[in-house]
Amino acid sequence: MKIALLALQGDFEEHAAVFRRLGCQTLFLRQARHLLEPFEGIILPGGESTVQGKLLRELNMMEPLRKMILDGKPVMATCAGTILLAKQLLDDPTRHLATLDIAVRRNAYGRQLSSFHIRGTFDDISNVPMSFIRAPQIEFCAPNTQVVAEHHGRITAVRHANQLAMTFHPELDGNTQIAEYFIEKICSR
Ligand code: GLN
């Protein structure tokens, strides 16, 4: 299986290492022409959503990527990637890919709690390590969207058809369970 990683900014290398450990081939998406290559799933990594969005527009990658996701290509987004997928950003008129019916607040945990680490349940998997780094919060998701993880009543991961989005980083803890979930439940569905 070949997994493509948006590789404009952020921690795409860490995601690539996880998928390689699982035996996947990886492809870095750095230019629009890379979107024409064959692959089975896309990773939108954490980083800085404003920078990623700006580069996607400048490189003419926003619309083809958006169309690909709307056409059903499996996508897994973490942190800034989830901000790219959101149809609505609270207190912010910006929209990026806007393919997933969620409303997200950037940097929602404030300065005091800007980074923290927990172990939590993700769908049917328990004790998953989750690192939150200046994380957004999913404050609303459409009724047809499945909540797959929560922390203290806050939604931390959702799934809708071919789209899986989370507000934490699963790739920073040497744990492959979320990547395996993506391959098994989203790419192979
Ligand atoms: N705060 C970042 C943003 O708004 C996201 C942080 C992250 O990806 N760890 O884009």
Side-chain angles (χ1 to χ4, degrees):
M1 177 174 290
K2 191 185 273 186
I3 298 294
L5 302 105
L6 185 65
L8 303 178
Q9 188 272 340
D11 74 332
F12 50 88
E13 291 280 9
E14 286 80 355
H15 279 283
V18 171
F19 282 97
R20 285 187 201 124
R21 274 177 58 199
L22 295 174
C24 297
Q25 289 179 281
T26 54
L27 166 73
F28 287 144
L29 303 172
R30 297 186 197 276
Q31 297 179 16
R33 66 182 165 85
H34 297 148
L35 290 165
L36 303 174
E37 293 190 28
F39 50 82
E40 278 70 52
I42 306 172
I43 304 302
L44 302 179
E48 199 52 51
S49 56
T50 42
V51 177
Q52 295 178 359
K54 182 171 180 285
L55 290 170
L56 279 172
R57 282 185 192 85
E58 285 176 6
L59 293 163
N60 295 319
M61 292 173 76
M62 188 73 87
E63 278 315 307
L65 187 55
R66 179 178 145 74
K67 184 171 184 312
M68 193 174 273
I69 294 169
L70 290 176
D71 284 347
K73 185 72 87 180
V75 60
M76 172 172 131
T78 63
C79 208
T82 294
I83 296 168
L84 295 185
L85 287 186
K87 279 199 180 168
Q88 194 188 347
L89 303 186
L90 296 164
D91 301 329
D92 188 338
T94 314
R95 302 287 175 275
H96 300 287
L97 293 161
T99 54
L100 184 60
D101 205 352
I102 56 174
V104 166
R105 191 179 302 281
R106 295 180 62 205
N107 303 314
Y109 292 86
R111 280 176 162 232
Q112 296 296 323
L113 203 61
S114 60
S115 297
F116 59 99
H117 184 83
I118 59 165
R119 297 186 85 94
T121 299
F122 187 98
D123 202 349
D124 54 354
I125 317 168
S126 55
N127 207 26
V128 178
M130 302 175 175
S131 294
F132 293 79
I133 302 169
R134 294 186 304 107
Q137 188 186 336
I138 301 170
E139 293 204 2
F140 162 87
C141 67
N144 60 0
T145 303
Q146 184 190 347
V147 174
V148 288
E150 280 180 327
H151 176 58
H152 288 166
R154 294 179 176 205
I155 301 169
T156 56
V158 297
R159 170 183 173 179
H160 175 62
N162 58 314
Q163 303 184 69
L164 179 66
M166 62 210 78
T167 59
F168 58 90
H169 291 259
E171 72 287 1
L172 298 178
D173 297 289
N175 183 297
T176 55
Q177 284 168 301
I178 304 296
E180 287 172 78
Y181 180 97
F182 176 61
I183 291 170
E184 285 164 22
K185 299 271 173 66
I186 311 288
C187 296
S188 312
R189 107 198 134 86

